[in-house]
Amino acid sequence: MILAVLFPVAQAMGWLLAPHFLTWPPLLKALLQSAVVVTLMTYLLMPLATRLAGNWLKQ
């Protein structure tokens, strides 16, 4: 379930952030992308996914 949420979010962040940070060093871009993805996953997306799949997870 984590991969089903994580992969699209990570890909979307890379696609959305790339045009804005073309001149940034690769390490700094990776740090920013990781920070955004981890924050979204921890506080927004995984709690939502867990709630939506609650019945399935309890079986």
Side-chain angles (χ1 to χ4, degrees):
M1 185 161 122
I2 292 171
L3 188 59
V5 178
L6 177 62
F7 183 74
V9 171
Q11 294 302 310
M13 283 299 114
W15 182 72
L16 290 171
L17 294 178
H20 303 288
F21 301 104
L22 291 174
T23 59
W24 286 33
L27 191 58
L28 194 55
K29 284 192 285 191
L31 178 66
L32 176 66
Q33 182 177 350
S34 297
V36 170
V37 169
V38 167
T39 302
L40 283 174
M41 291 289 292
T42 302
Y43 297 108
L44 182 68
L45 298 173
M46 283 313 293
L48 178 62
T50 303
R51 243 180 273 124
L52 290 174
N55 291 335
W56 177 71
L57 289 171
K58 291 177 186 176
Q59 291 180 358

